[in-house]
Amino acid sequence: MGRRKRRVPAARMRPSGFEPVFAGRVSPRRAVPAHIEAPPYARSGRSPTATNAIESSDSATIEAMRSAGSAARRVLAAVAAEVAPGVTGEHLDEVCHETCIAEGGYPSPLNYNGFPKSLCTSVNEIICHGIPDDRPLRDGDIVNCDVTIFIGGVHGDHSETFLVGDVGTESRRLVEVTREAMYHGIAAVGPGAQVCDIGRAIATHAEAAGYGVVREFVGHGIGQIFHRLPNIPHYYDPGARTELVEGLTFTVEPMITMGTPRAQLWPDGWTAMTADRSRTAQFEHTVVVTAGGAELLTVADDEPQPFVAGDLAARLEPDNWPRQLGTSAVRAG
């Protein structure tokens, strides 16, 4: 949910033949049981003011973030299993909400700066922060589901973009390249690297495929606070010279577009779409900088960790990456 106010025009592949997404009815905010530990903003809706300090997490916090990240992965897997034509964002939000509670955690987006739901569902041209509503997913849609869970005093933040039923080749390729771009960015992480190295790796891969990279929304530091410094641009920003040091925790979450990466905001104040209504995809992991590279925090214990050590070629080998979460084979065909 990190935001950056810079807008840079660009125009690339603009697809045709897609009906625009429209807003549906949003149901009342869901309740969270009193025994669930909640973040400070849960009642007030006001996020705490983050400091300007960029701080590494200690070993206890990193261990808590491993647990929170694994929980986020399980929650997202539960949501993914429900993705299919005819399913509403409202239903996916309910699954996310109830699974977070079953994990013993609080769905971090809920009432964060007033956000009304427990999940972000961003369909087709929606870049990010889509509010789940009663609009059903259509055959051929793509949808990013962004899960964050607060548990053990820390946040775990994770998202993937899913195919809804029979999706066309153009959209499948967009989703594939976006996932690759995220991992190219994570492969650039390690002690002594700089924040700008992440964005350079992402943009180089995405733009070589003819896609745009959104600039208004960025990755962010995370831990006890949902959003904190450093900001992580997904494009090359020569001014992003913060050095990556061991123990630093943040998200890498590029938003890649078929057409212009320029964003426009819906009247709800949250939903951001591409200015030309071209399709867009996003993937996100929470990571921690390690002595040899980066550890993915938003994976299961038995999933690979290809970025903690090894050469760049090994890091960029897709067979070494964690699996993509699957939608229901029965529903999605």
Side-chain angles (χ1 to χ4, degrees):
M1 286 190 167
R3 300 189 183 192
R4 188 182 180 95
K5 292 297 185 183
R6 184 177 177 185
R7 293 187 173 182
V8 177
R12 295 177 176 82
M13 302 159 44
R14 181 175 179 179
S16 60
F18 297 127
E19 295 181 12
V21 173
F22 58 87
R25 185 184 65 85
V26 178
S27 65
R29 194 170 73 196
R30 301 182 191 280
V32 177
H35 71 274
I36 297 292
E37 179 186 8
Y41 57 80
R43 285 184 175 275
S44 68
R46 296 187 299 272
S47 61
T49 302
T51 68
N52 290 326
I54 298 176
E55 301 174 342
S56 295
S57 298
D58 59 27
S59 59
T61 300
I62 292 170
E63 185 56 39
M65 291 185 70
R66 288 190 184 101
S67 296
S70 293
R73 182 77 164 162
R74 291 190 293 271
V75 173
L76 187 58
V79 172
E82 297 296 312
V83 170
V87 170
T88 65
E90 169 72 17
H91 174 69
L92 298 179
D93 179 74
E94 180 181 16
V95 171
C96 175
H97 186 89
E98 295 302 327
T99 308
C100 283
I101 290 170
E103 289 281 348
Y106 180 95
S108 302
L110 187 62
N111 209 29
Y112 180 80
N113 288 332
F115 191 79
K117 288 295 182 179
S118 300
L119 174 72
C120 294
T121 52
S122 301
V123 181
N124 296 346
E125 71 266 25
I126 305 305
I127 297 170
C128 59
H129 305 159
I131 298 174
D133 57 26
D134 66 353
R135 174 190 179 276
L137 295 172
R138 299 168 299 189
D139 189 62
D141 284 348
I142 59 174
V143 57
N144 175 267
C145 295
D146 192 345
V147 161
T148 314
I149 185 171
F150 180 75
I151 186 170
V154 297
H155 299 269
D157 196 354
H158 183 33
S159 86
E160 292 193 9
T161 297
F162 303 109
L163 309 178
V164 183
D166 185 12
V167 175
T169 302
E170 278 189 325
S171 294
R172 287 177 177 270
R173 179 59 178 158
L174 171 69
V175 172
E176 179 183 359
V177 170
T178 303
R179 179 171 178 261
E180 293 169 353
M182 175 191 65
Y183 283 128
H184 277 248
I186 295 172
V189 174
Q194 297 179 327
V195 165
C196 63
D197 295 327
I198 300 171
R200 175 161 43 199
I202 290 169
T204 296
H205 187 74
E207 291 175 356
Y211 297 123
V213 181
V214 171
R215 297 185 174 220
E216 286 96 332
F217 302 94
V218 298
H220 53 88
I222 189 171
Q224 289 96 342
I225 298 175
F226 194 174
H227 297 94
R228 69 181 189 191
L229 293 177
N231 289 330
I232 309 294
H234 304 116
Y235 58 94
Y236 178 59
D237 179 355
R241 294 292 180 184
T242 298
E243 182 176 341
L244 303 181
V245 297
E246 192 171 351
L248 198 62
T249 53
F250 52 86
T251 68
V252 178
E253 49 179 303
M255 288 143 273
I256 308 301
T257 66
M258 283 184 172
T260 179
R262 188 166 56 86
Q264 291 181 349
L265 202 62
W266 278 17
D268 62 26
W270 282 104
T271 306
M273 71 174 183
T274 54
D276 63 357
R277 294 187 179 271
S278 61
R279 285 194 170 188
T280 177
Q282 180 185 20
F283 282 78
E284 174 184 19
H285 273 298
T286 300
V287 305
V288 57
V289 181
T290 64
E295 177 185 346
L296 302 173
L297 296 175
T298 39
V299 292
D301 292 342
D302 61 350
E303 290 189 279
Q305 289 287 350
F307 306 103
V308 294
D311 61 23
L312 184 61
R315 294 182 180 193
L316 295 181
E317 173 51 57
D319 288 344
N320 295 334
W321 298 341
R323 71 187 188 281
Q324 289 183 261
L325 297 175
T327 57
S328 170
V330 174
R331 293 190 179 191

